Amino acid sequence: MKKKIVIAHRGASGYLPEHTMESKAMAFAMNPNFIEQDLVLSKDDVPIVIHDIYLDDVTDVAKKFANRKRKDGRYYVIDFTFEELKTLKVTERFNPKTGKQFYPGRFPKGKGSFKLHSFAEEIELIQNLNKSTGKNIGIYPEIKEPKFHKKEGKKLTEIVLKTLADYGYTTKEDNCILQCFDAKELERIRKELKCDLFLVQLIEFEKETKNFAHFATYANGIGPWYKQILDKKVSGKWQFNALVANAHKLGLQVHPYTFRADQLDEFTSFKEMMQILLIEANVDGAFTDFPDLMINFLNSQK
Ligand code: G3P
Ligand code: CA
């Protein structure tokens, strides 16, 4: 079996609050191939590792800076300086309207002492851990909402590419995969900004699964939602559509998101989910909140 890569999605986010340094250190100890960073800019142009352009579903911003919300009632990363962001307490993801924790079985909301951090700080953690352990774990950053950043007068992509270059990530050999949902922006990254990194086009909408030939003109892989690979069950057995085969024909790797042991939907166990999607659907790797479980599963296949 060709080696499949394990991407620690937002760190070991099944066990510790997503995108905290603690979650990244725990993920590192589990030996994934890559650790993921979602990136959003602060008011003073520092790339921050956080999943959304909003702060109020993973921090105590509504308590600490009550009067800094926008008209839509949300608190935006881009309205705060890095110094201000560092004063916030990060917690397990919750619904800001109800206060209810999103994944009830995970690390308890409001407990612990977690902070936001910059992309550079996380790269340094991973690079220095690579040095102290002799490992070579890669990074898998995502440019978040480029249109929103542009509308706000911000150059997220250029700043992220500069940070990557400063830390030695410039080519496909540098153990970094750059991802983005926005196809125009990822194409611009390759064709206008002349980026030579391994690029993965994330796929949100069904109609985008028709665009693979175009994606292959600038990307090296695609990141579909795992449900976009499944067709239907026939006599109790999952059938797959042509997504993976079509991508492979064009030389594109396939890294679906997101494998969660506590959100199984159409599967009866995490093992079944991994067997069907990783092995039978023949993808090249996957994003998971539970890197240890995926690594154990893949090791058991050898
Ligand atoms: O980036 C791939 C994976 O993370 C899915 O997207 O929404 O969790 O950033 P999201
Ligand atoms: Ca992501």
Side-chain angles (χ1 to χ4, degrees):
M1 184 175 77
K2 200 171 141 253
K3 193 171 162 21
K4 297 178 191 290
I5 65 160
V6 176
I7 307 145
H9 182 248
R10 312 183 198 171
S13 55
Y15 305 102
L16 278 165
E18 66 184 52
H19 283 320
T20 57
M21 284 290 220
E22 289 82 353
S23 175
K24 302 307 170 86
M26 187 176 185
F28 188 98
M30 293 171 172
N31 295 332
N33 301 91
F34 292 89
I35 298 177
E36 194 209 22
Q37 301 79 32
D38 291 312
L39 299 172
V40 176
L41 276 189
S42 69
K43 187 175 186 175
D44 49 347
D45 285 341
V46 178
I48 305 297
V49 183
I50 185 165
H51 181 260
D52 293 305
I53 55 175
Y54 311 112
L55 289 162
D56 43 327
D57 42 15
V58 287
T59 75
D60 61 350
V61 67
K63 232 186 270 165
K64 282 214 178 85
F65 294 98
N67 60 354
R68 299 271 295 271
K69 61 176 173 240
R70 290 195 181 187
K71 281 201 188 92
D72 62 2
R74 303 300 306 259
Y75 296 81
Y76 287 70
V77 178
I78 214 161
D79 293 336
F80 294 82
T81 64
F82 185 35
E83 279 310 305
E84 289 173 328
L85 292 169
K86 281 195 288 191
T87 67
L88 297 175
K89 181 172 169 165
V90 175
T91 180
E92 185 62 35
R93 176 169 289 278
F94 63 99
N95 179 332
K97 287 201 183 108
T98 62
K100 212 169 144 217
Q101 183 166 336
F102 207 81
Y103 295 100
R106 295 192 179 183
F107 198 91
K109 178 190 150 205
K111 298 289 183 190
S113 176
F114 306 107
K115 297 286 176 196
L116 292 169
H117 61 272
S118 69
F119 185 33
E121 287 171 328
E122 182 163 332
I123 293 175
E124 290 193 15
L125 175 81
I126 294 169
Q127 289 194 341
N128 291 318
L129 277 171
N130 275 335
K131 184 164 185 333
S132 63
T133 60
K135 296 182 192 177
N136 186 22
I137 292 175
I139 60 171
Y140 204 130
E142 178 182 345
I143 307 274
K144 278 282 172 191
E145 308 232 18
K147 281 200 195 87
F148 168 80
H149 281 89
K150 197 171 169 202
K151 193 164 69 68
E152 297 282 326
K154 297 284 192 194
K155 290 183 176 290
L156 172 64
T157 297
E158 285 80 353
I159 292 170
V160 167
L161 290 179
K162 164 87 170 58
T163 306
L164 287 169
D166 287 348
Y167 283 96
Y169 300 105
T170 55
T171 75
K172 292 178 194 62
E173 282 70 55
D174 294 328
N175 220 3
C176 169
I177 297 181
L178 185 63
Q179 48 168 338
C180 190
F181 274 105
D182 186 319
K184 280 208 166 62
E185 187 67 354
L186 201 68
E187 186 174 9
R188 186 177 82 92
I189 287 170
R190 176 71 85 218
K191 294 180 182 171
E192 278 178 40
L193 302 179
K194 308 285 179 212
C195 173
D196 190 34
L197 289 167
F198 193 105
L199 301 182
V200 163
Q201 179 63 62
L202 297 171
I203 293 168
E204 187 175 5
F205 304 109
E206 197 60 36
K207 63 175 191 288
E208 294 173 305
T209 58
K210 311 276 179 277
N211 296 348
F212 289 1
H214 180 62
F215 293 161
T217 66
Y218 60 87
N220 307 99
I222 53 161
W225 187 22
Y226 77 82
K227 290 175 197 259
Q228 291 170 333
I229 293 170
L230 294 169
D231 187 2
K232 57 179 180 300
K233 255 184 170 174
V234 176
S235 310
K237 203 170 152 36
W238 274 107
Q239 310 292 302
F240 309 105
N241 57 39
L243 187 148
V244 178
N246 287 344
H248 283 167
K249 261 185 238 151
L250 291 159
L252 294 165
Q253 299 270 297
V254 183
H255 299 163
Y257 59 87
T258 299
F259 288 47
R260 295 181 167 110
D262 53 0
Q263 190 178 43
L264 294 169
D265 292 351
E266 51 279 275
F267 301 106
T268 53
S269 71
F270 196 45
K271 200 171 161 203
E272 183 200 23
M273 179 182 191
M274 291 188 286
Q275 176 66 32
I276 289 167
L277 291 166
L278 282 178
I279 309 300
E280 293 173 26
N282 192 31
V283 300
D284 304 287
F287 291 87
T288 180
D289 292 2
F290 298 86
D292 56 337
L293 301 184
M294 189 173 283
I295 290 162
N296 287 345
F297 172 80
L298 289 173
N299 285 341
S300 76
Q301 302 288 307
K302 283 177 186 164

